[in-house]
Amino acid sequence: MENIIRENLSINIKVIDLLNEQIGRESRASSVYLAMASWCDQNGYDFSAAFFYNQSNEEREHMLKIFKYINDNGGIAYSPEIPKVNHEYESILDIYKTALQEEIGISKEIHKIFLTCRKENDVASELFLQWFVNEQQEEEQKMRHAVKIYELHGEDVENHYLLDKRMSRS
Ligand code: FEO
C-alpha cells in the first residue's frame, strides 16, 4: 500500500495491508451475490433471489466491519474498486456451487490473515478475526447444504422450483 501514514498503531502493519485486501474480497462477494440475486429473480427463483439479496447485504456489512476496524485502530482503510462480476449462470445448481467456491476461497484468505496475526503477535486483530472465522463456517455450511439438496434432485427443473422455497428457511 502506498503512502500510508501509520502513527500510534495498535495493530500490525502487515495485518492492516492484508485486511485492506480483504475489504476488496468482501466487496467483490457482495457484488457477486447481487448478480446471483438478479439471475434468480429473472429465472423465477424468488426465494433464492431473496437469499442472495440478503447475502449481498451481509458481505457489505463484513466489508464495513473491517473498514471501521482499520480506521479505528490508526490505519487507513481504502474504499475498494468496483469489481466486474459474472452475470451468466447455467442453472440454480451452478449458482450455489459457485457461491460455495466463493465462500471457501474467502475462508482460506481469512485463515491466512488470522495466522499472520499470530505470527506478528497482533492479539487484537486475531480476536477481531475470530468472528469472521465463525461466520465463514456458517456461510460455507449454508451453501454446501443448498448444493447438496440441488444435486440430490438431479436435472428435474420442476423440483428445482419446489426446492427454491426451502431457501426461505436458510
Ligand atoms: Fe464475508 Fe462470506 O465472506
Side-chain angles (χ1 to χ4, degrees):
M1 288 286 154
E2 80 284 352
N3 296 327
I4 297 180
I5 300 166
R6 300 175 173 105
E7 291 175 354
N8 302 318
L9 282 178
S10 62
I11 55 178
N12 180 270
I13 288 170
K14 279 186 204 162
V15 172
I16 292 178
D17 285 343
L18 292 176
L19 288 175
N20 258 312
E21 288 172 16
Q22 188 61 29
I23 285 172
R25 288 186 202 101
E26 302 289 348
S27 171
R28 186 180 165 279
S30 178
S31 297
V32 167
Y33 290 154
L34 200 56
M36 287 178 173
S38 180
W39 187 95
C40 291
D41 247 348
Q42 290 164 44
N43 288 279
Y45 293 101
D46 297 344
F47 293 92
S48 291
F51 172 76
F52 280 110
Y53 280 123
N54 187 55
Q55 286 300 122
S56 176
N57 282 339
E58 282 193 16
E59 297 301 351
R60 181 173 158 74
E61 281 168 18
H62 297 171
M63 177 193 74
L64 289 175
K65 206 173 171 103
I66 300 172
F67 205 91
K68 277 291 287 165
Y69 178 78
I70 294 173
N71 281 340
D72 286 349
N73 287 284
I76 298 175
Y78 285 98
S79 184
E81 288 178 17
I82 297 169
K84 190 166 165 47
V85 296
N86 176 41
H87 284 77
E88 307 293 326
Y89 292 96
E90 287 172 14
S91 64
I92 190 74
L93 176 58
D94 184 27
I95 289 258
Y96 282 108
K97 276 186 171 175
T98 307
L100 175 57
Q101 288 312 312
E102 189 75 28
E103 291 300 338
I104 290 172
I106 291 175
S107 294
K108 283 182 182 164
E109 296 299 333
I110 292 282
H111 294 171
K112 270 191 221 165
I113 307 171
F114 188 93
L115 292 173
T116 303
C117 294
R118 275 212 173 152
K119 200 170 149 222
E120 302 295 332
N121 295 323
D122 186 343
V123 178
S125 299
E126 182 177 322
L127 287 175
F128 169 73
L129 282 170
Q130 182 68 59
W131 183 89
F132 285 87
V133 171
N134 297 340
E135 177 73 5
Q136 278 311 117
Q137 260 188 307
E138 270 182 36
E139 296 203 324
E140 274 189 42
Q141 282 165 14
K142 273 193 250 175
M143 300 306 178
R144 202 170 278 116
H145 179 69
V147 167
K148 205 186 297 170
I149 288 175
Y150 279 100
E151 277 183 341
L152 278 173
H153 292 79
E155 301 300 316
D156 186 342
V157 173
E158 280 303 310
N159 255 341
H160 284 184
Y161 283 106
L162 291 173
L163 292 171
D164 180 53
K165 288 189 180 144
R166 292 175 67 164
M167 292 317 296
S168 61
R169 293 181 226 142
S170 295

